[in-house]
């Protein structure tokens, strides 16, 4: 069973502050790394699918970086807003190309305090 | 609008009963998945299907069964053989096995 770790488990951030959290995954047999945002009472939604070492992706105030050689990805949120409160999930896709499905971390639960 | 529909949202079952959770998608996606979430754990893969009439076991398939008779539909049956069925179940689909997942809103099963 693959080990995908996310830290921290939970995070309280003041509105307007920037924050970041980490996803660690196996550095071998890498195919892709996914990030999802899961708001309470809603479906998880994809933020990014990253495949290349050194890749950086951005969507509004949220960005992510990827280091496949050392097996980690960072998710950054700039100028946090209350609507950013959610659980952020990362998921590792091995070189089987998804033949074994994605392996999810336990998530980082982010709470933005007004 | 395109999306994934899961039903029911909440389901209560007595021990020893089989229950079936419905998952329908109108995104024309080839791949569909069932995940289970338990408190303090990541999503764990139960079954997935790449094409109609074909499906594969995930990490925790014991006590579950699926079918894929139509591209749009991927129902999950939780059988009485599943030792601890109380959980939150998420269905998802993707264009390809490597593509981003589109999720339903989930079904919460409680065994009384």
């Amino acid at each position: 069973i693959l080990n995908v770790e996310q830290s921290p488990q939970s995070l309280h951030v003041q509105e307007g502050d920037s924050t970041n959290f980490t996803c660690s995954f196996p550095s071998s047999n890498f195919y892709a790394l996914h990030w999802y945002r899961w708001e309470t009472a809603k479906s998880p939604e994809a933020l990014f699918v990253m495949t290349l070492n050194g890749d950086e992706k951005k969507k509004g105030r949220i960005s992510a970086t990827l280091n496949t050689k050392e097996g980690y990805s960072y998710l950054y949120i700039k100028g946090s807003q209350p609507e950013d409160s959610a659980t952020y999930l990362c998921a590792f896709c091995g070189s089987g190309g998804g033949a074994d499905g994605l392996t999810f971390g336990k998530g980082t639960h982010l709470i933005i305090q007004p | 609008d395109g999306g994934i529909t899961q039903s029911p949202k909440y389901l209560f079952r007595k021990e020893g009963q089989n229950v079936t959770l419905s998952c329908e998608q109108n995104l024309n996606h080839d791949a569909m998945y069932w995940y289970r979430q338990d408190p303090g754990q990541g999503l764990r893969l139960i079954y997935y299907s790449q094409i109609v009439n074909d499906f594969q076991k995930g990490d925790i398939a014991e006590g579950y069964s699926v079918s894929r008779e139509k591209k749009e539909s991927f129902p999950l049956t939780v059988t009485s053989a599943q030792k601890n069925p109380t959980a939150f179940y998420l269905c998802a689909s993707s264009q390809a096995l490597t593509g981003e997942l589109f999720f339903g809103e989930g079904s919460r099963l409680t065994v009384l």
Side-chain angles (χ1 to χ4, degrees), chain B:
Chain B
D1 280 14
I4 309 260
T5 301
Q6 288 187 240
S7 62
K9 280 193 173 181
Y10 300 95
L11 185 60
F12 296 89
R13 183 194 103 175
K14 292 182 181 179
E15 281 192 32
Q17 288 181 334
N18 292 356
V19 293
T20 297
L21 307 181
S22 170
C23 178
E24 302 279 330
Q25 55 103 355
N26 60 5
L27 299 168
N28 199 34
H29 285 168
D30 290 314
M32 296 188 75
Y33 313 80
W34 276 104
Y35 285 91
R36 169 180 169 143
Q37 190 199 33
D38 295 282
Q41 297 211 36
L43 298 179
R44 291 185 291 167
L45 183 64
I46 304 172
Y47 268 99
Y48 66 98
S49 168
Q50 299 181 56
I51 56 172
V52 173
N53 293 323
D54 184 60
F55 46 83
Q56 308 295 329
K57 292 182 179 180
D59 298 323
I60 56 166
E62 186 175 347
Y64 299 97
S65 66
V66 293
S67 63
R68 187 89 186 272
E69 297 177 3
K70 298 186 300 182
K71 187 175 185 178
E72 304 80 26
S73 179
F74 191 42
L76 174 74
T77 297
V78 185
T79 75
S80 57
Q82 168 51 233
K83 300 294 183 209
N84 187 18
T86 294
F88 186 72
Y89 293 87
L90 272 172
C91 179
S93 71
S94 65
Q95 185 60 41
L97 279 182
T98 56
E100 68 180 76
L101 298 183
F102 291 77
F103 286 91
E105 292 190 340
S107 295
R108 185 169 296 281
L109 172 64
T110 303
V111 174
L112 304 173

Side-chain angles (χ1 to χ4, degrees), chain A residues 29-105:
Chain A
N29 300 319
F30 175 88
Y31 187 89
L33 194 283
H34 296 216
W35 281 102
Y36 293 86
R37 175 168 61 197
W38 193 358
E39 296 178 66
T40 303
K42 294 186 177 180
S43 311
E45 288 185 335
L47 289 170
F48 307 112
V49 177
M50 308 176 79
T51 57
L52 299 174
N53 184 45
D55 210 2
E56 292 188 25
K57 297 217 171 184
K58 187 175 181 181
K59 183 182 287 189
R61 294 177 293 98
I62 303 177
S63 60
T65 61
L66 179 68
N67 183 324
T68 61
K69 294 188 187 306
E70 296 182 41
Y72 64 84
S73 176
Y74 293 134
L75 191 79
Y76 300 89
I77 302 178
K78 186 177 178 182
S80 303
Q81 299 297 308
E83 59 265 29
D84 296 327
S85 295
T87 296
Y88 291 82
L89 303 173
C90 71
F92 171 82
C93 181
S95 59
D100 298 321
L102 296 176
T103 300
F104 281 83

